[in-house]
Amino acid sequence: MNKVTLMLMTLVVLSSTASAETYRVSGDATYSDNTPVSFQDITITCQRGDSECYQYQGSETMTDAQGSFTLVIDAADENNGTEILLTLRGEQFSHIIDLDVYMTSTDNRMTQDLQLSQVPPMPGFGGGAGCCLILFALVFISTLLRTVAGLATPRGRAAFQGFKEPNYHECPECNASIVQHQLVMHFITEHDYDPYEAGEATGMVLRKSWSTEED
């Protein structure tokens, strides 16, 4: 390849590069209920067989938290009128490159909003976390209500302060309900047991109670 041919090729490349313009497409992406499409890719795809579009195939950008986006490509005079498809979550939106309108725009951008026909997807982890928080709140409220209801009674207030209700046992002699720590005295005073016999009788009552609890 001689120097003249190399220089001509370089000039052709430089001239085509110099004639290319930075072309911006901006807008807002929303779902069918007008909520923003946040943090989703917008990709350029082409109609099958459209060779003029293929140079832009795969160019992409991403929406921000509010669903706003700006897609930047290079467009030369020969690209004027080329159709590109802005693809978002499987839906396509046609855009025709219009350099004449673009060059006369005040902010050097083409405006095209994208509204999907689909509704927002069901929440994933974020939604599961929200459900857990709601469940935790319900459990907390239920516990609080039970505590308040318990404090409304004398027994509940005593339990809240750490008082434990004593155990009662049935006397095998008279079937009376006796507080556990008074069983020995009950056998002695009410049934004329000597202390040793009262102790044994109390032990038998307690063992019977423990056996019933284990069952």
Side-chain angles (χ1 to χ4, degrees), residues 164-171 176-187 198-199 201-203 205-207 209-210 213:
K164 184 177 181 181
E165 187 173 349
N167 294 326
Y168 285 81
H169 299 277
E170 184 177 307
C171 173
S177 182
I178 309 300
V179 179
Q180 179 173 310
H181 66 273
Q182 294 181 355
L183 270 174
V184 174
M185 186 60 64
H186 174 79
F187 283 121
T202 299
V205 171
L206 294 181
R207 284 195 295 272
S209 173
W210 296 335
E213 290 177 358

Side-chain angles (χ1 to χ4, degrees), residues 46-104:
C46 302
Q47 298 281 8
R48 181 174 298 178
D50 187 354
S51 59
E52 294 181 356
C53 171
Y54 281 164
Q55 62 179 308
Y56 302 116
Q57 179 91 18
S59 299
E60 64 181 8
T61 186
M62 177 180 285
T63 61
D64 61 16
Q66 288 74 42
S68 299
F69 70 92
T70 296
L71 179 66
V72 180
I73 58 176
D74 290 329
D77 291 339
E78 59 268 21
N79 306 127
N80 198 30
T82 298
E83 180 186 25
I84 58 177
L85 300 177
L86 307 180
T87 303
L88 173 63
R89 292 189 61 84
E91 298 186 30
Q92 295 179 329
F93 302 85
S94 175
H95 178 84
I96 306 299
I97 296 176
D98 193 332
L99 292 175
D100 297 330
V101 174
Y102 178 78
M103 294 300 293
T104 58

Side-chain angles (χ1 to χ4, degrees), residues 140-162:
F140 175 77
I141 293 172
S142 176
T143 303
L144 182 62
L145 291 176
R146 287 199 302 269
T147 302
V148 172
L151 291 176
T153 63
R155 180 177 294 180
R157 289 192 292 272
F160 183 77
Q161 294 173 357

